[in-house]
Amino acid sequence: MQETRLRAAGLDDIARRLAAGERLTFDDGVRLFESPDLHAVGWLANRERERRHGAKTYYNVNLRLEATNVCEASCLFCSFARLRPGDPQAYTLSLDQVFAKLRARAGQPLTEVHVVNGLHPDLPFSYYTDLIRGLKAIRPDVHLKCYTAVEIAFFADTYGMTDEQVLRELIAAGLDSLPGGGAEIFAERVRRRIAHDKADADRYLSIHRLAHRLGLRTNVTMLYGHIETAAERVDHLMRIRALQDETGGFQAFIPLAFHPDNNRMRKLPPPTASDTLRVHAVSRLLLDNVPHIKAFWVAAGIEIAQIAQWYGANDLDGTVQEERIYHMAGSRTPEALSVADIRRLIRAAGREPVERDTFYRVLERRTDAVVEPGAPSLIH
Ligand code: V47
């Protein structure tokens, strides 16, 4: 990009420091959010993205399971939770129902199951350990990415254990990694207003630190596009960067676009496409120590997730299936994508599709693999 354009965007010194391999500061982050020239910010992020990953865009073959939406917390942005077990739309699956969902996909080349639940006040801890054990018994080869740091904190408080005891018991049952949900916005002002009655920022980060120390990899997220300021976004990213300096345990950062349907923040407009692209780009630039930036297609929308592959992102998440949190909050994306769809969308975006496992190891396999007759196929 021309020096004059970067200068007009107020980004020429940032561009020079990035080229010299220097780390950006808090103020740089705010300037990147405030620069009028989105494409200049995107160009800088794309340079960093291509330096790390070339033309590759990663995806995986995964399944989402949400075993209960009964939740004690009262996050203003949430359209998924039902507070009382008696609520007409409240559900809690039996473990057999959970296992049936995985068994029904026996023919799919799944590599990951991602489990997230509400904070249910009345289930025993054994429900969560048995859930992991049972899924592992059905598909020992499938990676289990289960329970956010907020759920881990809730288990510790509810069942009278330390965070470390909870993590150790889940690992003994077969837990392979933690997903990134529950981070929202770390800044006290925002968290107090939108998510006051669940684990705070320090607890969230300390559970990820502990998980990393126990050998787990984790993801981390940011819910953006509601009441947070640019400085609060940058603060969030800087806290992630600081923990990553300590542990190196984060694999992917996932910006999550706020969806306003059916929740108590429904008067707010959703974030615009420009904002979504910018958040991915600035994240790539500030999080110099986090290897992957994921544009989660269910949250960003398929088209924007494709364009984000030129604005810092290098991952789209996976086939997904059975996602409820965003679909209840107004996401109009499909329920699932087939492998053929994902590969076509990545190619159409001008990138090279690469199937990965949860640890970003590349999987080489025929994409026209045969599935068992009668099983729902994800291939075509
Ligand atoms: O923590 C809830 C968000 C998260 C809304 O680790 C909402 O690979 C927008 O964390 N509008 C859960 N967002 C999902 C999540 C995730 C997704 C994909 C991949 C990974 C990963 C993690 O969803 C919650 C919350 O931040 N959320 N309600 C809403 N109305």
Side-chain angles (χ1 to χ4, degrees), residues 48-341:
E48 295 305 313
R49 183 257 197 238
E50 290 188 354
R51 200 166 58 70
R52 291 173 167 79
H53 306 291
K56 294 186 179 75
T57 287
Y58 294 98
Y59 68 93
N60 71 351
V61 183
N62 60 352
L63 167 68
R64 182 69 85 81
L65 292 178
E66 288 113 354
T68 179
N69 67 349
V70 174
C71 189
E72 267 194 2
S74 47
C75 304
L76 294 192
F77 53 81
C78 186
S79 320
F80 169 70
R82 295 292 174 270
L83 302 187
R84 287 178 307 276
D87 278 351
Q89 291 159 306
Y91 72 87
T92 301
L93 302 182
S94 69
L95 290 178
D96 282 340
Q97 288 172 316
V98 174
F99 301 152
K101 287 182 182 291
L102 184 57
R103 283 204 190 92
R105 291 172 171 89
Q108 289 182 1
L110 286 174
T111 60
E112 175 188 282
V113 179
H114 174 173
V115 184
V116 194
N117 298 315
L119 308 180
H120 194 304
D122 303 321
L123 292 169
F125 185 53
S126 59
Y127 179 87
Y128 303 98
T129 47
D130 289 349
L131 189 151
I132 289 181
R133 263 192 208 98
L135 292 177
K136 260 294 180 229
I138 297 167
R139 294 281 290 264
D141 53 316
V142 168
H143 179 109
L144 298 180
K145 184 174 80 175
C146 305
Y147 314 139
T148 65
V150 166
E151 291 171 81
I152 305 294
F154 173 76
F155 297 156
D157 297 348
T158 307
Y159 307 115
M161 294 191 270
T162 63
D163 296 345
E164 179 161 351
Q165 282 168 336
V166 170
L167 281 172
R168 283 190 186 281
E169 292 216 15
L170 294 173
I171 292 169
L175 177 74
D176 293 308
S177 70
L178 295 188
E184 323 315 356
I185 290 282
F186 292 142
E188 178 66 18
R189 181 194 75 89
V190 178
R191 207 173 179 86
R192 215 179 26 238
R193 286 173 67 183
I194 69 168
H196 72 281
D197 54 359
K198 67 182 188 188
D200 65 9
D202 288 343
R203 184 95 179 265
Y204 177 97
L205 289 166
S206 83
I207 288 171
H208 280 265
R209 180 183 290 108
L210 192 55
H212 298 165
R213 186 161 65 68
L214 297 177
L216 295 179
R217 292 306 182 102
T218 71
N219 288 341
V220 57
T221 57
M222 174 172 78
L223 177 71
Y224 67 91
H226 43 94
I227 61 166
E228 83 288 3
T229 62
E232 285 160 343
R233 290 178 180 180
V234 175
D235 167 71
H236 191 94
L237 295 169
M238 292 308 221
R239 293 201 212 190
I240 294 169
R241 189 169 83 179
L243 179 53
Q244 182 74 338
D245 276 345
E246 262 181 61
T247 66
F250 288 129
Q251 301 210 101
F253 172 69
I254 308 143
L256 297 170
F258 168 60
H259 280 56
D261 287 4
N262 307 316
N263 59 55
R264 281 177 289 162
M265 287 161 87
R266 62 185 165 271
K267 296 224 167 79
L268 295 177
T272 61
S274 315
D275 200 22
T276 288
L277 293 173
R278 190 185 292 263
V279 171
H280 286 80
V282 178
S283 310
R284 176 64 289 161
L285 292 167
L286 288 183
L287 297 177
D288 56 1
N289 52 2
V290 175
H292 303 285
I293 305 291
K294 185 191 284 190
F296 179 44
W297 60 265
V298 179
I302 290 176
E303 293 83 356
I304 306 304
Q306 282 179 294
I307 304 170
Q309 302 304 313
W310 293 87
Y311 282 76
N314 63 284
D315 190 339
L316 274 182
D317 203 74
T319 48
V320 181
Q321 314 175 69
E322 302 238 351
E323 196 286 329
R324 284 201 174 85
I325 296 173
Y326 282 88
H327 288 97
M328 290 175 79
S331 173
R332 277 175 282 280
T333 55
E335 277 294 314
L337 289 176
S338 70
V339 171
D341 286 336

